[in-house]
Each structure stands twice: as C-alpha cells, then as structure tokens.
Amino acid sequence: MNKSPIILGIETSCDETAVSIIQDHESGVPKILSNIVSSQFDIHKEFGGVVPELAARSHVEKINLIAKKALDESGLNINKISAVAATAGPGLIICLSVGLNFAKALASSLNVPFIGVNHLEGHALSPKLNANINYPYLLLLISGGHSQFLSVNGLDNYTRLGTTIDDALGEAFDKTAKLLGIEFPGGPKLEKFAKKGNPNKFNLPKPIINKGGCNLSFAGLKTAILRITKNIKLDQEKYDLAASFQKTIEEILHVKTEIAFQEFRNINSTKKSNFIIAGGVAANDGIRKKLSEVSKKNNFVPIFPDLKLCGDNAAMIALVGLEKYKIKKFDSFDLIASPRLALDKKAKFLKGSGLVY
Ligand code: KG4
Ligand code: ZN
C-alpha cells in the first residue's frame, strides 16, 4: 500500500459536479492538491429548486471535464492515484449514479480500489481537512437536506442526539428566501438581507423549543413567515423579516446546542470537547458568531470548516475515501446509489411533531 496515498474524490449527489484530489500527510491533515466545484445555479434558478433530470444531464456533460481540470491542477500523472472515491448517497439517485459510474470506470481502468462514500460522512469529517481533530466530537450538521446533532465517535460510528422532525435548516432558509422574492438558492442572500433589517421587528415562533430534547423543527416558522409576507410590500419590511428570521434561528440553535452539549457530555466523559459545525448553512456568519459564543460559555471548542468546504465539495468525499483506504474498506463495483443513507443507522426515523415527546 502507498505510504502517502492519493485519493481522487467525486461528488454528484445534487447540483454540484465536483472532483478533488487529496494526499495523505504525516501531520494528520491531508493536503488538498485540487478541489474543483462546478455549481448549477444558473440551470435551476428559474425553477426555484433543483430539477433532478436537468441536474443529472449536467453532471454527465461536465464530469469528464471537471475530473480533467482537477487532475491538471494537482499536477499529477493519473497513474499516481491510489483509489477513486465517490458519493454513493444520500441524494438524487440519477445524479449519484453519474458520479458512481464514472468512479467505477476510472478505478477499473487504473486498476485501483473503488470506495463508495456517505455524503453526510463527508460533511461530518470535513473539518479534518483543516486541522487534526480527535474523536469523539460533537457535530451539528446543517445543510439543505439535513439538520442533526451527532456524537462522532469514529469513522462510520455515530450516535444521533437530535434531528429535525420536518424541514432541514437550509430548506427553511431557502423557503423563507423564496417567500421574500430572493432567487434560489436563497440562504446566502437572505443573510445579506438580514444585515440591513431590524431583528426585533417580527416575533416569530420557535417550534418545540421547550420539548423534544435537541430535536429541531422549522416548519412552523415557515408558515408564520408565509402569513407575514402576504401583508408586506416595502423592501425595508423584507429586510426586517429576514433579520427577525435570522435572529430566531440563532436563538433556536443557541437553546438546542446547550441541550446537545449536555447530552454529549452524558455519553462522553471529556471535559473540554470540540464542537464541529458543518454543512452549507455553517457558512452563515451570524450562526458562526452565535455558536462560537455559546461554545465558549460551555467549555466547548467551536470549529468551522473553511468556507469553501462548508458547501458540497469533493475534497470531503476524498477525505472519507482516504480514511477508508487506510483500513482497506473498499467497495465492489456492484455498489449502487442509495438515495437514503443515515449516519447513525440505529436511530429512529423521526418525522412529524407527534414523534417528539
Ligand atoms: O451542504 P450543502 O451545500 O448541500 C446539501 O448537502 O444540502 O447546503 C446547501 C444549503 C442551501 O440550503 C443553502 O441555502 C444553505 O446551505 N446556505 C446558507 C448559507 N450558505 C449556504 N444558509 C444560510 N446562510 C448562508 N450563508
Ligand atoms: Zn451536502
């Protein structure tokens, strides 16, 4: 086995075609040799959301070019690749299949192992691309499709502490943005609107704030926003609503994070632990500041991935590939895409407020 393995990672689970090449390093933090992400915002924005068929077609058109770009940028000869890793799920099945099939063909032609990766595990481990972080750590994963608190105990070893019972946080940002007339994906722009508004103008609900442990719920918030947007017209009112939404989210995360801290400490006996905030919504400046404050107050060390590693990327997929390569956890070419893959496989499916007690 190569002493400093080099992994080529591929990500096509949704609307980003991404390829990255990373190399193991003695410091424990792998070197990112290239990390190319091609987003499809322009294709989907007129539909207000991702259209699976268009996304898959675009992946097919671009994957070869993006892989070539990643290879050129790394300066490597293709024969130096030790293994090829690709997202196997969760995500849109026809999109996942494009990356998986490309990865299998490449691995087969290079005669190197092929490794299927859980996209969520990519987000969960992503801060390890910036720093050497030991297990266990507490993770808040906030993306367009998921919102979960987890104890990350090791590779493929997770204990879910809380999850959303309805919408994901990124989805709540995108839906609120849409109601305010902001084009898809609205999360980052909504944050900019919020900076121009009065956060105390609208009093919004905080669903299940006093029950359900560190489980989360955002659907009621969206309904309240829908009601308010029917009666507002001025730009300043939209800024105020965005600011009130941002503040409410920060308050919900504040309360739920403190509960998660307690639950994490109940199962891990560490005095000072790392708290990783990952996924697309971890790019939100206000959330970063609020969760940094809350962490310090509770003796946790807050860690955020680099901004370019918060959203979907292939470096995080290559990273999981690298960890699996080191323990020779390879997959056969029979592996198929799984639209639903969890991190904690024992955790119950929790959807609907009736399930929170
Ligand atoms: O992790 P990600 O790139 O894709 C998924 O796996 O879902 O997350 C995308 C989500 C979108 O909902 C997007 O609006 C949201 O992350 N997002 C943000 C910000 N940047 C991205 N939400 C709030 N504030 C931001 N600055
Ligand atoms: Zn993601």
Side-chain angles (χ1 to χ4, degrees), residues 11 13 119-120 123 141 143-145 279-280 310-313 316:
E11 157 62 34
S13 65
H119 177 88
L120 302 177
H123 281 301
L141 172 59
S143 70
C310 284
D312 287 347
N313 65 85
M316 67 184 194

Side-chain angles (χ1 to χ4, degrees), residues 16 29 145 181 215 239 267 292 300 310 334:
E16 261 96 24
V29 182
N215 285 306
Y239 300 149
I267 56 170
S292 296
F300 271 78
C310 284
D334 293 337

Side-chain angles (χ1 to χ4, degrees), residues 3-7 21-33 125-135 274 303-306 308-309 315-316 318-320 322-323 326:
K3 264 203 194 111
S4 297
I6 297 171
I7 311 292
I21 300 175
I22 68 165
Q23 180 164 29
D24 195 21
H25 192 265
E26 59 198 6
S27 65
V29 182
K31 274 181 83 172
I32 300 178
L33 305 179
L125 303 196
S126 59
K128 285 171 162 277
L129 288 164
N130 298 128
N132 209 342
I133 302 166
N134 292 328
Y135 301 116
N274 290 319
I303 300 175
F304 299 88
D306 263 8
K308 61 177 185 308
L309 297 173
M316 67 184 194
L319 172 71
V320 179
L322 176 61
E323 301 248 326
K326 288 185 191 165

